[in-house]
Amino acid sequence: MSSTPKTSSLETLRGLDVAPRSVTSASGAELGIARTDDGERLVAMAPKGSLFFGDLEGKTQGHHDGRTLLLGPLSTHNAAALREALPWLRPQLLGLQTSTGFGDRLGLATPGHVRALSTVGGGIAPIFAQQSIREMQRTGRTPQEVMDDATWGVFAEGWREGFGADADHLKTFEDVNACVAAGYTFFTFDPGERVDDQAEGVNARTLRGALDRLPWKELEDSFEDLKRRYPERLTAEGYEVTLGEEALARAAVKYGRAVAHVASMYRYLEEAMGGRPFEVEVSVDETETPTTHAQHAYVVGELSRLGVRFVSLAPRYVGRFEKGVDYIGDIGGFERDFAVHAALARAASSNGPYKLSLHSGSDKFSIYEPAVRQT
């Protein structure tokens, strides 16, 4: 367990500019982050011979009141040692709490994110470690660096209310391996490259041919069995969703390969985690055409049938979600469409309820209120 000392010996040491919110104690040592001429450093002070020092990288800086002072780098090794010693630095499962992914792209913004969240409150569960593999490649970062930067930001600000770590937009087994090794707890699968947007407009003959070419073996299914499982009309909280043969065929052609890929990714992740708890989000938002309500029901039903358990789904909503600007589209139309997605999420019996996610949701000020109102 950790606690914040009432009087910090670290802050009284001459020549050390210690961030006051970072000061805490663990295993008999007093810990914090000090600003030095060479940049920020981990500072630790503990009784001589403390075993805790054996877990830290750094150089001793002398002795004070019978205790040894150590300065160390904000390194992967030291971040791991702190996560081991301080439970509040370890990412947690967030479940169905309203959550926000902060997406610190450069590894510098987490302290500001913590201060903003502390100021606003509102019961929002933060996901401080969050970046897609694509963004990591563009910024030259690794999953471990994203995790460690979030750890140091949380430590610097003394945030003890818990946070999640999202391995975002994963597409390959290699992506999963890297993020499991770095200690992520939340995994977003992105099968967008396997979504067939052309299914929306093709004629019946073309649709039938595409249906026959689906990976039915991977889906452990057939179209005849699929039709038998779904009623022609599905009702969720008074909303009626049509699931006739054509709607099911288009849903299967559009999302069938995506469903199969997510199932394989989920099974791989389950094995890679080795029994450790984790959470999954399924994201099909980065596609050309909106996810209809019938397609939402299909995706959820088929993932559930294949044993995929998820806490969050990101459909492709109506309108446009571009980065850095407000929502583009009719706000009233968005809310009417979103209301049915929300009802489906609440009504799901085999794998629900689950959260709905707004991807590229930053700066979408005009739809935050409608989204919250409907969920």
Side-chain angles (χ1 to χ4, degrees):
M1 297 296 293
S2 65
S3 61
T4 303
K6 293 181 180 179
T7 301
S8 167
S9 300
L10 290 178
E11 293 178 86
T12 63
L13 291 175
R14 292 182 179 178
L16 275 184
D17 179 13
V18 178
R21 285 188 292 270
S22 71
V23 177
T24 188
S25 61
S27 304
E30 195 173 341
L31 306 162
I33 287 185
R35 305 177 186 91
T36 74
D37 292 340
D38 297 321
E40 291 186 328
R41 294 289 183 268
L42 171 66
V43 57
M45 194 158 60
K48 291 180 180 179
S50 171
L51 294 176
F52 184 69
F53 271 10
D55 296 328
L56 295 176
E57 295 177 333
K59 295 182 180 180
T60 58
Q61 305 293 311
H63 305 287
H64 303 267
D65 298 326
R67 297 191 293 174
T68 302
L69 179 68
L70 176 142
L71 283 181
L74 305 190
S75 63
T76 291
H77 179 93
N78 283 345
L82 289 189
R83 285 192 292 267
E84 183 66 28
L86 302 170
W88 46 272
L89 286 180
R90 302 171 203 159
Q92 300 176 5
L93 302 186
L94 301 179
L96 296 181
Q97 298 179 76
T98 299
S99 57
T100 295
F102 283 85
D104 181 359
R105 301 295 191 268
L106 302 178
L108 303 173
T110 296
H113 290 156
V114 172
R115 291 174 208 165
L117 189 61
S118 299
T119 300
V120 173
I124 298 171
I127 300 177
F128 289 130
Q130 183 209 31
Q131 195 166 12
S132 70
I133 296 296
R134 176 184 60 207
E135 290 162 348
M136 291 183 204
Q137 292 170 343
R138 290 176 177 175
T139 56
R141 303 174 78 202
T142 66
Q144 189 64 66
E145 287 172 334
V146 172
M147 176 69 75
D148 293 343
D149 287 339
T151 297
W152 290 117
V154 170
F155 178 64
E157 292 299 314
W159 176 263
R160 290 167 172 75
E161 305 304 315
F163 66 98
D166 178 14
D168 202 9
H169 284 284
L170 303 182
K171 299 185 179 186
T172 69
F173 295 151
E174 290 75 20
D175 295 343
V176 170
N177 289 337
C179 294
V180 167
Y184 287 77
T185 52
F186 187 93
F187 298 82
T188 298
F189 294 147
D190 178 2
E193 294 172 354
R194 292 168 172 80
V195 173
D196 184 359
D197 284 301
Q198 303 304 313
E200 295 288 2
V202 297
N203 59 35
R205 180 179 177 182
T206 303
L207 184 66
R208 184 71 228 189
L211 198 62
D212 291 340
R213 292 190 295 274
L214 284 180
W216 291 109
K217 185 176 181 179
E218 293 177 45
L219 289 167
E220 302 170 21
D221 201 15
S222 70
F223 188 53
E224 293 306 312
D225 288 340
L226 178 67
K227 287 190 293 183
R228 280 192 285 268
R229 286 196 303 276
Y230 289 86
E232 286 200 10
R233 287 178 176 79
L234 175 70
T235 300
E237 299 181 357
Y239 295 105
E240 191 174 88
V241 177
T242 301
L243 281 165
E245 182 172 340
E246 181 179 343
L248 268 179
R250 293 192 188 278
V253 169
K254 184 175 179 179
Y255 288 109
R257 286 183 173 80
V259 166
H261 181 64
V262 168
S264 67
M265 291 278 283
Y266 182 88
R267 292 164 184 169
Y268 187 89
L269 172 63
E270 199 169 29
E271 184 174 346
M273 290 295 285
R276 286 172 289 165
F278 63 89
E279 295 174 321
V280 162
E281 175 173 277
V282 178
S283 168
V284 291
D285 69 296
E286 293 187 355
T287 54
E288 290 299 319
T289 56
T291 305
T292 68
H293 304 135
Q295 291 161 3
H296 178 153
Y298 166 82
V299 168
V300 170
E302 296 311 291
L303 288 175
S304 300
R305 179 180 62 84
L306 292 169
V308 177
R309 297 291 173 259
F310 54 91
V311 299
S312 181
L313 177 71
R316 164 63 160 89
Y317 301 109
V318 297
R320 289 171 56 194
F321 288 72
E322 304 293 344
K323 295 186 184 299
V325 297
D326 207 338
Y327 173 75
I328 302 171
D330 175 54
I331 297 170
F334 167 82
E335 182 165 9
R336 289 189 293 273
D337 180 76
F338 189 80
V340 185
H341 285 296
L344 288 168
R346 284 190 295 269
S349 57
S350 58
N351 194 16
Y354 45 88
K355 296 190 285 191
L356 290 178
S357 182
L358 301 173
H359 276 223
S360 295
S362 57
D363 308 295
K364 306 300 179 288
F365 302 108
S366 62
I367 62 166
Y368 292 155
E369 186 175 351
V372 171
R373 184 162 49 237
Q374 296 301 329
T375 56

